[in-house]
Amino acid sequence: MRRLFAGLAAGTFLLATAACGSSDDSGTSTGGSSSGSTTTVKLGLIPIVDVAPVYLGMKQGFYEEHGLKLSITTAQGGAAIVPGVVSGQFQFGFSNMTSLMVAQSNNVPVQAVSNGIASTGVQGKDFGAITVKQGSPLKSAKDLEGKKVAINTLKNINETAVRESVRKAGGDPDRVKFVELAFDQMPAALDNGQIDAAMVVEPALATVKSQGGVEIASPLVDVAPNLTVAMYFTSTQYAQKNPDVVKKFQEATAESLAYADAHPDEVRRIVTTYTKIPTSVLAQVTLPKWPAEADRSSIEALEKLGEQDKLFKSTPDLEKLLP
C-alpha cells in the first residue's frame, strides 16, 4: 500500500489542473461553500471521453438540481485519483476497475458508488485500442513481445487488457515493455517513434487515427463482452458519514449517464471543452457505452486476470467494493 500511495499520490498532486483546499467530511471546504441546500464536492477525473456525462450533467443542471456543486480536478489516471479520495482531497473520483480492485485488495477503504463507462463490446469499433504508427511492422498483439507499449498508468486496467490481448494472440505478455504516458501525449510519442505501440482511449484514439495510426487490437473487448471499464467511487469513511450526499451524487450521475447515452452529438461537443482534441477530429471519436448499471460478470473476469497477472495482494472483496 505504501507503494500505491507514495508513487500515485504524488501523481495526483502534480497532474492536478485545479487546486483544492482542505476538506471536511461534509464535502464543503475552505475554498468552496455550502450555501442553502447546495453542497460543494470535489471530484477527481481523467480528461478523456469517459467522463463526458459529468460535464453534460453539470451543463444540464442535474447536479445542481440534486443540491450539488462539483469542483473538478483532473489527473493522469484512476490509480492516481484513488489516494486523493482516500486522503480527503476529493470526495468522489473516477477510476478504472482494476485500480479500484488493487486498492481494495491492499485494504485501502474505497467504495464504488455509481457506474462509469463500458466497452462497446465490438472488435475494431471500441473507444479504446492498441495502436501503432502508419507503416509499422507490428500487425497483431503478439508482435508486441519485446516492444515498448504506452499505457496511462502501470498496473491498471489497460495493462491487464493489453496483456490479455497479447495472450489471446498467442504471445507472451511478460515480454511486453510497458511505459507510463498520459493519454494526450501518446499520439505524438507514437508518431515520433518514441514508443512502438500505445493503448489509447478517446479522444486520443481519434487523434492517432488522424495521423494515420492503425488499430491492431481491442483489448477491452478481449477482456469481456460489455466490460465495465470504470466507476465513480468515494472513500468508505465518507460514504458512512455522508449517505445523503452520496445518494445525491448517485442520482445526478445516473441522470447524466442516461442523458449522455441518448445525446451522442452533445457528448462530442462537450469533449472539446475539457480536452485538446481539434474540432476537425471530433467526428472520428468512437463513443463508449454509459449503461445505468455495472456488469458484475465482466468485473469478475477482470478480477481473475488481475489475479493471474499478480496485481493483487489478496483477492478483492467485490461485495464490499461494489454498490
Side-chain angles (χ1 to χ4, degrees), residues 59-122:
K59 183 179 179 181
Q60 293 298 316
F62 298 149
Y63 290 94
E64 186 177 0
E65 289 169 6
H66 286 277
L68 298 179
K69 179 181 179 181
L70 302 186
S71 174
I72 294 176
T73 296
T74 59
Q76 182 166 316
I81 294 172
V82 169
V85 170
V86 175
S87 69
Q89 182 189 4
F90 314 127
Q91 281 72 56
F92 298 95
F94 177 84
S95 176
N96 69 84
M97 293 310 304
T98 296
S99 292
L100 288 178
M101 287 190 283
V102 167
Q104 209 271 340
S105 73
N106 279 286
N107 296 315
V108 178
V110 292
Q111 181 179 326
V113 295
S114 299
N115 197 29
I117 189 172
S119 162
T120 65
V122 182

Side-chain angles (χ1 to χ4, degrees), residues 12 15 43 56 72 75 83 94 115 134 144-145 148 186 196 219 224 241 261 282 313 321:
T12 303
L15 294 164
L43 172 63
L56 278 177
I72 294 176
F94 177 84
N115 197 29
Q134 186 176 28
L144 298 179
E145 292 181 340
K148 192 181 294 185
M186 291 182 188
D196 299 301
K241 291 187 176 182
D261 227 24
L282 203 58
K313 183 177 180 180
L321 179 62

Side-chain angles (χ1 to χ4, degrees), residues 121-201:
V122 182
Q123 288 284 350
K125 296 182 179 179
D126 199 17
F127 74 98
I130 298 174
T131 58
V132 296
K133 186 178 180 179
Q134 186 176 28
S136 169
L138 307 181
K139 304 300 181 184
S140 75
K142 184 181 186 303
D143 297 332
L144 298 179
E145 292 181 340
K147 302 302 181 181
K148 192 181 294 185
V149 180
I151 53 177
N152 66 318
T153 55
L154 300 174
K155 308 301 180 185
N156 77 348
I157 192 171
N158 289 314
E159 179 172 339
T160 296
V162 170
R163 290 175 66 89
E164 180 65 359
S165 287
V166 172
R167 198 179 284 118
K168 284 190 170 182
D172 181 358
D174 290 336
R175 293 183 59 193
V176 177
K177 300 175 182 177
F178 289 104
V179 296
E180 196 170 88
L181 197 64
F183 286 125
D184 62 0
Q185 295 174 19
M186 291 182 188
L190 191 62
D191 201 43
N192 295 333
Q194 295 171 271
I195 53 177
D196 299 301
M199 172 57 199
V200 289
V201 299

